[in-house]
């Protein structure tokens, strides 16, 4: 946190008495790669124990560079989509395999995706990289063992639900609390920024 606040209009902070800050990636800065690796590991265990996924899921290695924030999951077709700012498909992957342009054109009659459609799930937070990664890996496993895995839509929902469970039931937070230096990046500027606000009566 530095001393500057960026807004889309002029804002006189002298008139502002209260300032609210979100915790994640604002007051708390995470080591994203380690946090996503932990999420990936916990999701795998929950899928195996609570949703009867095959034990081979446990052997999936986390790859932080496999997915980025901003992708879209096609729940029905089992694809990961990269869109441009107009929501047009720029690239797509089925599992870990890139879909060639001609196949993509046949698969998607329109190149534009309506993100309000429940068929699609946006990977739009810094906590979603492990979700997209695990989804793609599970689709890849399903190619080899179709009967061992549920439909694409169920895989997408299961991965999302176990990630939500991990945030709710404390399995993520408890692990982070036990090893703060691994998961949390200490930033002195956060304290300095908060102290500056206090000095100015906020």
């Amino acid at each position: 946190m530095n001393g500057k606040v960026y807004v889309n209009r002029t804002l006189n902070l002298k008139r502002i008495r209260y300032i609210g800050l979100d915790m994640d990636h604002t007051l708390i800065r995470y080591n994203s790669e380690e946090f996503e690796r932990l999420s990936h590991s916990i999701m795998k265990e929950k899928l195996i124990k609570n949703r009867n996924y095959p034990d081979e899921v446990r052997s999936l290695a986390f790859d932080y560079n496999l997915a980025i924030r901003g992708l879209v999951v096609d729940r029905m077709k089992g694809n990961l989509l990269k869109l441009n700012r107009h929501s047009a498909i720029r690239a797509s992957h089925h599992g870990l395999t890139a879909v060639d342009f001609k196949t993509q054109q046949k698969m998607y009659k329109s190149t534009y995706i309506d993100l309000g459609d429940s068929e699609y799930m946006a990977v739009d937070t810094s906590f979603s990289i492990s979700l997209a990664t695990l989804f793609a890996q599970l689709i890849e496993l399903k190619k080899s063992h179709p009967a061992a895995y549920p439909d694409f839509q169920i895989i997408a929902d299961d991965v999302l639900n176990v990630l939500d469970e991990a945030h709710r039931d404390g399995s993520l937070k408890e692990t982070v609390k036990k090893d703060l230096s691994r998961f949390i990046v200490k930033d002195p500027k956060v304290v300095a920024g908060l102290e500056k606000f206090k000095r100015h009566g906020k």
Side-chain angles (χ1 to χ4, degrees), residues 102-171:
K102 285 186 179 179
T103 304
Q104 181 179 292
Q105 277 189 315
K106 289 178 185 175
M107 201 177 295
Y108 297 96
K109 305 302 179 193
S110 168
T111 58
Y112 293 91
I113 297 299
D114 177 6
L115 292 176
D117 189 326
S118 61
E119 288 187 12
Y120 303 104
M121 181 169 65
V123 180
D124 56 3
T125 75
S126 297
F127 294 128
S128 299
I129 293 171
S130 55
L131 181 151
T133 299
L134 185 55
F135 175 75
Q137 291 174 321
L138 291 171
I139 298 302
E140 194 67 24
L141 287 177
K142 182 175 171 62
K143 291 182 195 176
S144 304
H145 309 97
Y149 294 87
D151 294 340
F152 300 140
Q153 179 182 355
I154 295 173
I155 292 175
D157 292 345
D158 283 347
V159 173
L160 176 62
N161 288 334
V162 294
L163 180 59
D164 286 345
E165 283 173 18
H167 281 281
R168 280 197 316 269
D169 67 15
S171 45

Side-chain angles (χ1 to χ4, degrees), residues 53-70:
Y53 277 66
D55 285 339
E56 67 177 343
V57 168
R58 191 175 282 115
S59 66
L60 294 172
F62 177 64
D63 180 357
Y64 186 66
N65 298 310
L66 194 137
I68 59 171
R69 190 171 81 170

Side-chain angles (χ1 to χ4, degrees), residues 68-112:
I68 59 171
R69 190 171 81 170
L71 298 178
V72 172
V73 172
D74 182 336
R75 296 168 64 246
M76 308 308 288
K77 295 183 176 69
N79 294 336
L80 273 179
L81 309 176
K82 181 172 181 171
L83 311 182
N84 67 14
R85 62 194 177 113
H86 303 294
S87 296
I89 301 172
R90 302 297 296 166
S92 57
H93 276 71
H94 186 68
L96 304 178
T97 308
V99 177
D100 65 78
F101 184 69
K102 285 186 179 179
T103 304
Q104 181 179 292
Q105 277 189 315
K106 289 178 185 175
M107 201 177 295
Y108 297 96
K109 305 302 179 193
S110 168
T111 58
Y112 293 91

